Structure formats: structure tokens, C-alpha cells
Amino acid sequence: MNTKFFGNKKLLIGTIEKRDLKNLKDFQVFINSLVEEDAKILMNDKATLKDEKEFISDALKSIKNKSKVFVIVRDGNKIVGNTSIEKQRWRRNHMGHFGIAIAQEYRGIGLGKHLISEVIRSAKKEFGPGLKVIQLEVLANNKPAIALYKKMGFKIIAKIPRQIQYKGKLIGEYIMIKYL
């Protein structure tokens, strides 16, 4: 774990570990806070402890198999963000699929930018020179995230209209990529 300051917040940044299976409640509280906020993420149902155990177990297995890198952020014992890149398979084995989630009160302080840089650096190290493309999907109305991704070198390559249900409406979804 590395300690890093963002504004007046002292945050611990590291990877998910086997011992995190003992902290399922912390993960559940984090993801459910995003669901309660109705954040612009795909998940819209609260996670159970069983869901979190499965999520963490799957992540640990993928890390062990060298097909995923996963960075987690804590403020003390509280989980406030995470990001991952999962290496794709077969004819897409040169691609990594990116995801990120940050608690509301930790957005806009530079944490997202730092996490994106950190997870891409980790993916390059773990997956080697064969990793050529990072891909993500984002709701077309998530302007702060889109601006951040563009700042980090991602480009919109497609828009799928009326793809995601959000607040009773069908919202478009952008596919963005970054070439390494």
C-alpha cells in the first residue's frame, strides 16, 4: 500500500489481496453507496455479502492467473475507490477492459487521474508489450468522466444510442479506447 495525499485526504492505494475476503462488508458498503447515489455505473441493485465474496474471489483468481490488475483506494479502513483492467482473450488478447469507481466525496480531487495512470502502468507491467489497447464504456451523459478519459488519452470511437437504462430513460453509451 502506498500513501498519497489528494487535497487534505490521506489515502492508501494498493492492490486487492486475499485478506480482503475478511473485509466483505467494507466492499459492500462502498458499492452500495454508489447504487444509493444512483451513480452513472451499470450496477443498480445493492450487492449482498455473497455478491461481494464472489466479486473478490473472482478478482483474486484473475489476478493470480495474470489476467487482471486491480487497484483499491482506502481512506483508513473505508474503501473509497477501485479500478481494474482485465486482459481480454483470444483475438482480443491485445486489449484490456477498464473500469473505475470512486465514492462521490472523493471525485474531483485528482484521484481518478492518478488511478487511471496507476492501473495502466500496472497493466503494462503485468501483461507486457502485448497489451496494445485499453477499452472502456461510459454513459454518454457522464460528462465529468468523459472529460477525464479524454484528458488521459482515450478517444470516443462509437456511440450506441439508447443502450443503458438510467433514471427511467434509455441513455446512449460511448465506447472509448486508448492505444498504448
Side-chain angles (χ1 to χ4, degrees):
M1 287 275 186
N2 294 324
T3 301
K4 194 116 169 105
F5 283 90
F6 295 89
N8 63 349
K9 297 180 187 307
K10 179 180 175 184
L11 304 179
L12 298 170
I13 300 171
T15 189
I16 196 168
E17 298 173 355
K18 192 170 186 171
R19 66 184 171 156
D20 286 316
L21 285 167
K22 295 181 177 132
N23 303 322
L24 297 175
K25 189 74 175 162
D26 297 340
F27 284 86
Q28 182 189 35
V29 167
F30 168 67
I31 194 63
N32 286 347
S33 73
L34 296 175
V35 171
E36 287 169 9
E37 172 200 338
D38 208 6
K40 293 178 181 172
I41 60 173
L42 289 180
M43 194 166 171
N44 62 351
D45 291 327
K46 287 188 176 182
T48 64
L49 287 174
K50 182 181 174 194
D51 294 334
E52 289 306 300
K53 183 175 184 181
E54 186 177 317
F55 172 77
I56 295 167
S57 295
D58 289 348
L60 290 168
K61 183 178 174 188
S62 295
I63 292 165
K64 185 178 179 185
N65 293 337
K66 298 190 180 291
S67 63
K68 188 174 209 166
V69 292
F70 195 106
V71 178
I72 189 162
V73 184
R74 290 182 171 89
D75 186 347
N77 290 326
K78 179 181 175 186
I79 296 170
V80 299
N82 65 42
T83 183
S84 66
I85 294 177
E86 186 160 11
K87 188 174 182 203
Q88 302 300 284
R89 297 174 25 187
W90 304 311
R91 293 185 193 265
R92 289 186 175 176
N93 68 357
H94 64 288
M95 296 177 71
H97 188 264
F98 169 85
I100 189 168
I102 298 174
Q104 189 172 29
E105 61 271 24
Y106 294 84
R107 296 179 202 147
I109 61 173
L111 180 58
K113 182 178 179 182
H114 178 77
L115 287 179
I116 292 169
S117 295
E118 183 71 19
V119 78
I120 289 174
R121 185 193 59 72
S122 295
K124 284 178 176 178
K125 182 179 174 188
E126 188 64 41
F127 305 145
L131 183 66
K132 308 250 186 259
V133 179
I134 307 291
Q135 178 178 318
L136 64 86
E137 297 81 34
V138 59
L139 274 71
N141 66 351
N142 192 345
K143 293 183 185 338
I146 294 165
L148 173 62
Y149 300 147
K150 285 181 176 179
K151 190 184 293 185
M152 298 304 295
F154 286 85
K155 297 191 180 339
I156 296 171
I157 58 157
K159 179 180 180 183
I160 305 170
R162 300 171 48 88
Q163 178 74 358
I164 305 295
Q165 293 182 58
Y166 182 73
K167 295 190 176 187
K169 296 179 181 176
L170 292 176
I171 305 295
E173 179 178 46
Y174 289 134
I175 298 171
M176 298 181 77
I177 60 170
K178 176 181 174 78
Y179 292 103
L180 303 177

